[in-house]
Structures are given as C-alpha cells and as structure tokens.
Amino acid sequence: MRHGALPAGLLAAGLLLTACGAPPTTGAAGSDPGTNPYAEYDSLTGAERTAKLVADARSEGGVLDLYTSNTDIQDLVDGFQKAYPGIKVHAFRANSETVLQRALQENQANKPQNDVIDTNDLELRALDSQRLLHPYNGPAKAGLKEAAKNLGGWTAERFNAFVVGWNTNEVKKDEEPKDFADFADPKWKGKLAVEVGDWDWYASMHTYLTEEKKMNSSDVDALFRKIAANVKVTKGHTVQGELLSAGQFGVALSVYSHTIDKATAKGAPVAWRPVVEPVILRPNGIGLMTNPRHPAAALLWTDWVLSDGQKIIADSLRIPAAETVPGFKDPIPAGATTYSLSKSAETDSKKWNADYDALLRGVPTAG
C-alpha cells in the first residue's frame, strides 16, 4: 500500500532514480536468456513441476526472501508454509516507496537480497524498467483475468479498489454522497479526507473526468480546488480507515474497499455502497527478481500465490486476480462504473505528484 508516511514526492524520486544512467549490471546480466535462473523449470507443469521446485527450494536452503507492501502478507505466508512446511518465508514489509527504494539500491550496489517482490503497480513498473523483474509464464497464468497478465516483468495477484467511504453515524441514510462533483459543496467543509500519498488516485480521477466524462481540464482543476477546500489529509490508508471509523471525518474520498469491508465486519459504522462512481482499480502484483538468491523458492511461491493463494486473497476481502475463486463474490456491484489506474500516472508521475502536492498545500491534517 502507499503508506503516506514518507514525503509524497518520494515515489517520483524513486522513479527518477530508475531513469538515471544505464540499468544496473545485475538487471542487464539477468535479462540474458543464457543466464535465466528459471529456465530449467519452464517446460515443467503439474505435479512434476511442483515436486522439482520443492526439492530444489529445499536444496537452496529452504528459504524465500520476499519484499512486500501488502498489509495482509502474513495470511499468505501462513498458507504457503502450511502447503510447503519445509520452506520458510522471510518477509520484509514496508510502504511501497520503501520497498522500491530498497530493491533499487541493493541492485545498484550489485547486492540483490530478495527473490520476489509484492507491491503496487507503479513501483513494479519502475523496477521492470530497469530489467530487475523476470516475466512469469508458469501454469497459473492461464487462470488469471486478462487485466492481470502481460504487464511486462510482473503479474497482478490482486486488485485494490479506491472507493468513496463514509461513516454512517456522520452521514445518515438517504444522505449518502451520490456524485463525486458534489464534494465541492461547502456543506462538506471539514468532513472529507484524502490520503497524502494518493497522487495516483488523483491522476486517475482527473483523467476519468477529462477523458471519460469529457470535462474541460481547467474545469476539473477548479473542481478539485473546491473539493480540497473541504478536505483534511491523512497519512496512510490504515490510519485513514481507523479515523473514518472513529468519526474524525464523515467521508474518505480515496479509501480501499477492503479497508471499509474489514471494518464493517468488525462492527464499525462505515460503508461504501451505494457506489460513488467510478471505482478506481489498481493492480497490485508479484514480480520474480531477475537475480534471485533462491529461484526455485521464488517460482514455487509465485505458482502458489497465483493459484491456491488466490482463495486466501479473496478471504481477506481483496479482489483476486484469478478468473475463478471458490466462494468469492465481487464486492463491486454489478453495473458500477470502474476505471483502471491512469496510464499517465506512470508516464507523467512527476507532474501528477507535484500537482497533487500543490493541491493539498496548506490543507489541515485529520486526527
């Protein structure tokens, strides 16, 4: 998740770092087919593949080194270690910017320390641009949604949904927000919140309004300035959800659907349905490192997460990447408008980051 505890411009700095100079020698060497650490497993499927991966993972030391920003990673770790008790997962978890920075710095120093990375799409694209990720073409790929595949050196394992959520004690029934533009009304003054690092959400909302709703760009800018006059800022989506549940503000404009659904399951007075359109979908993915220390363990983990592990992802109230997951019910109501994370959030990351930072300058902090 984009935690927001670091300055909003840090991701842009990380992306800029990837563009400085030639790609790291580790990425360049690992991209050579002759040095593909996963090559011997490419032709294997089914039980033969799994048995080979398990045996080789144990001979590697029975360890998987994982970098992740997934707050629910322990559920996956527990499930994997139950399935393969001889393999221990060492998971480093931090916000997505820190995960990106750590992986970049280690590879630039020719000292890669992880086998697999699990984080947000923009950070994965940044790593992929440096040829630090190896495309996954294992058997589990066939069961994934089209939007989860062919993303370069990484594969989506789940989707985060940005939604508008509200506290049902602060926003009474039949008074729920209905249209995003309504948040410009002064009646919402001090009752709205956004997350300080969500410049990618801002980029997507902005492009949705201009490209899909055909609004003039200057009118969209004016709309956001009016909305910004009504908002407070939170740092981190977990904190945002906690403050919303506590009634510190009435509405969170860029909260994750699973944050609201988990809080609701625990009895918190929060909701996000009926949907304020659009729901913005962001793929969160898994990437095999080009130069893993434990390639067999890395492939074994990826095979499992993209197959059996999808049930655990669904049980954590996330949106899995697999086409079919037993017992999963899509939390997004049928017919609701969805919008994929804007491509310009990747290509114009510095611009959107700066624009969002400028929009929130002087906005008070919630809590």
Side-chain angles (χ1 to χ4, degrees), residues 107-340:
N107 278 276
Q108 286 168 344
N110 288 323
K111 295 180 179 179
Q113 300 294 307
N114 67 308
D115 306 309
V116 177
I117 195 158
D118 170 344
T119 190
N120 298 344
D121 69 335
L122 294 175
E123 286 80 357
L124 289 164
R125 292 179 196 277
L127 291 167
D128 197 25
S129 73
Q130 290 295 283
R131 293 185 288 173
L132 296 178
L133 303 181
H134 184 89
Y136 173 77
N137 290 304
K141 183 177 178 180
L144 302 179
K145 300 170 184 173
E146 286 304 313
K149 299 184 286 188
N150 303 316
L151 299 173
W154 61 283
T155 304
E157 69 171 39
R158 64 190 186 280
F159 294 86
N160 279 357
F162 284 112
V163 299
V164 174
W166 56 90
N167 183 297
T168 56
N169 291 333
E170 302 296 320
V171 180
K172 303 300 183 184
K173 188 173 176 58
D174 299 325
E175 296 178 359
E176 299 96 336
K178 295 178 175 60
D179 188 272
F180 185 76
D182 293 342
F183 294 121
D185 191 317
K187 75 177 184 179
W188 294 105
K189 180 76 173 179
K191 298 179 181 180
L192 309 179
V194 294
E195 204 279 327
V196 70
D198 278 348
W199 61 269
D200 48 353
W201 163 82
Y202 167 71
S204 298
M205 280 301 307
H206 199 289
T207 54
Y208 170 79
L209 293 172
T210 55
E211 296 177 8
E212 301 298 320
K213 304 301 285 185
K214 307 304 180 185
M215 290 179 63
N216 182 281
S217 183
S218 60
D219 291 339
V220 176
D221 289 339
L223 172 64
F224 269 104
R225 285 194 295 270
K226 290 179 180 178
I227 292 174
N230 295 334
V231 305
K232 298 177 182 178
V233 170
T234 66
K235 293 184 178 182
H237 290 105
T238 300
V239 171
Q240 182 187 51
E242 291 170 349
L243 293 177
L244 180 66
S245 294
Q248 291 294 315
F249 41 82
V251 179
L253 299 182
S254 60
V255 68
Y256 292 146
S257 64
H258 62 265
T259 299
I260 299 294
D261 290 340
K262 287 182 178 182
T264 301
K266 294 178 181 179
V270 290
W272 63 274
R273 304 175 192 87
V275 173
V276 179
E277 297 181 333
V279 174
I280 293 177
L281 293 176
R282 182 181 68 199
N284 285 48
I286 186 168
L288 292 162
M289 301 307 292
T290 300
N291 284 286
R293 298 200 294 178
H294 312 104
L299 261 186
L300 185 65
W301 169 270
T302 305
D303 280 354
W304 180 83
V305 166
L306 295 178
S307 55
D308 292 348
Q310 292 289 294
K311 180 67 166 63
I312 292 176
I313 289 172
D315 289 345
S316 67
L317 304 182
R318 306 287 187 116
I319 300 173
E323 283 277 12
T324 304
V325 178
F328 172 69
K329 181 180 179 182
D330 194 334
I332 302 173
T337 299
T338 60
Y339 187 68
S340 296

Side-chain angles (χ1 to χ4, degrees), residues 3-76:
H3 192 279
L6 300 178
L10 181 55
L11 177 60
L15 292 169
L16 181 61
L17 185 60
T18 68
C20 294
T25 56
T26 51
S31 297
D32 185 333
T35 62
N36 175 5
Y38 308 103
E40 65 179 301
Y41 308 105
D42 286 348
S43 62
L44 301 179
T45 59
E48 180 185 11
R49 176 183 172 97
T50 300
K52 172 69 171 168
L53 287 173
V54 169
D56 288 359
R58 286 174 176 158
S59 69
E60 291 169 349
V63 171
L64 173 77
D65 291 311
L66 169 70
Y67 289 178
T68 183
S69 58
N70 183 2
T71 54
D72 291 320
I73 194 62
Q74 193 59 49
D75 293 337
L76 286 172

